[in-house]
Amino acid sequence: MRIGPKLDEQRRRDMAAAYLSGAGRYDRVRPGYPEAVTEWLIPAGASQAVDVGAGTGLFTRALAARGLEVTAVDPSEDMLAVLSAHLPAVPVVVGTAEQSHLPGASADVLALAQTWHWCDHDAAVREAARVLRPGGRLGLVWNQLDVSVPWVHRLSRIMHAGDVFSPEDRLSLGPLFGPPEELLVRWTQQLTVPDVVDLARSRSYYQRATPAVQTRVESNLRWYLTDYLAFPPRAVLRIPYYTHAWRSSLLGT
């Protein structure tokens, strides 16, 4: 079931705690999601959706734009406050993938976008099965820097980006859900050089690092972008990404 690195419970909690603050910067520089992914994920006739690990609502907005009634779940009140500023009509719940505090059989779609690697996968799947209606769809989505591009690979290493999945990864959700289907979409995000530095600041590695390490990361990034790659200090970069998505339907009970 697990793809990506295996983190022990304390390590997973420590790293995830980095996202309990810094929501404004996260919302400004983190990428959204291709429209094709949201369209592919939502089953015909769906009306109720849950975005678990919603953060500042980057994927919540995509679900709401498709006409769904969405509930956003996240452990960070700071993140949810930014989400509510963008989407005041969306109900928010302080909760996790393992304990969402939502009623059973209440959603047609449950999505975890940029969240799966922070979860106890077995517990998250059980909770998704509880919250979804029979036949409801579980969707897992994550954006990754496209490190097949050499300059982006080095950028990710300097940033300690922590992108933890690969296009070759395969997913199993156990007996509660049907065989997962996958979609891979490649695209680019445009960011200025200062925004790329802020992108590094939004990562858990940076937020959990000492001030000395944070300063070194920023210095190395500026050197790499403006000296080694010779981008002007305010240049707009086209950063290659891919979005990997999985969908699977809850089996009847």
Side-chain angles (χ1 to χ4, degrees):
M1 178 176 292
R2 179 171 292 280
I3 55 180
K6 185 173 183 178
L7 304 177
D8 64 55
E9 181 67 12
Q10 188 57 50
R11 176 66 170 164
R12 182 173 61 81
R13 290 181 181 277
D14 287 346
M15 295 295 286
Y19 295 107
L20 295 176
S21 61
R25 177 172 56 210
Y26 184 103
D27 188 67
R28 186 175 61 82
V29 298
R30 283 298 184 102
Y33 299 87
E35 206 171 291
V37 171
T38 317
E39 182 177 357
W40 176 82
L41 188 64
I42 300 170
S47 61
Q48 303 284 334
V50 176
D51 187 10
V52 175
T56 63
L58 294 172
F59 197 67
T60 317
R61 292 168 223 178
L63 293 170
R66 305 293 301 180
L68 297 171
E69 295 182 27
V70 190
T71 299
V73 178
D74 197 89
S76 169
E77 294 183 8
D78 187 37
M79 292 277 186
L80 290 175
V82 174
L83 185 153
S84 292
H86 289 292
L87 299 168
V90 170
V92 298
V93 176
V94 177
T96 65
E98 300 86 354
Q99 191 171 16
S100 68
H101 306 294
L102 297 177
S106 60
D108 303 301
V109 181
L110 188 147
L112 294 94
Q114 223 66 21
T115 304
W116 187 238
H117 54 297
W118 300 125
C119 300
D120 176 323
H121 292 176
D122 293 325
V125 167
R126 288 193 298 270
E127 179 69 351
R130 185 188 69 80
V131 172
L132 285 167
R133 298 178 178 126
R137 181 167 289 170
L138 172 62
L140 310 177
V141 183
W142 47 84
N143 289 323
Q144 300 267 114
L145 291 167
D146 188 350
V147 296
S148 68
V149 180
W151 77 268
V152 178
H153 183 260
R154 187 166 181 182
L155 175 71
S156 74
R157 291 177 65 86
I158 294 170
M159 291 171 59
H160 295 265
D163 287 356
V164 294
F165 301 114
S166 161
E168 289 74 37
D169 283 334
R170 291 295 170 263
L171 181 72
S172 172
L173 295 170
L176 298 174
F177 286 86
E181 302 172 273
E182 67 173 319
L183 177 71
L184 193 73
V185 178
R186 298 185 184 275
W187 56 283
T188 59
Q189 181 190 25
Q190 294 190 32
L191 289 176
T192 66
V193 169
D195 284 342
V196 176
V197 176
D198 266 350
L199 182 64
R201 291 173 177 145
S202 78
R203 298 279 185 162
S204 60
Y205 174 85
Y206 179 96
Q207 294 197 40
R208 305 297 288 178
T210 66
V213 170
Q214 291 177 341
T215 298
R216 184 167 68 246
V217 169
E218 293 179 22
S219 177
N220 289 345
L221 266 179
R222 291 191 180 98
W223 169 84
Y224 179 60
L225 294 172
T226 61
D227 292 349
Y228 186 81
L229 295 178
F231 287 113
R234 304 295 301 184
V236 176
L237 282 61
R238 293 178 59 85
I239 302 178
Y241 274 86
Y242 65 84
T243 300
H244 202 172
W246 297 84
R247 67 183 186 186
S248 182
S249 296
L250 180 66
L251 299 175
T253 56

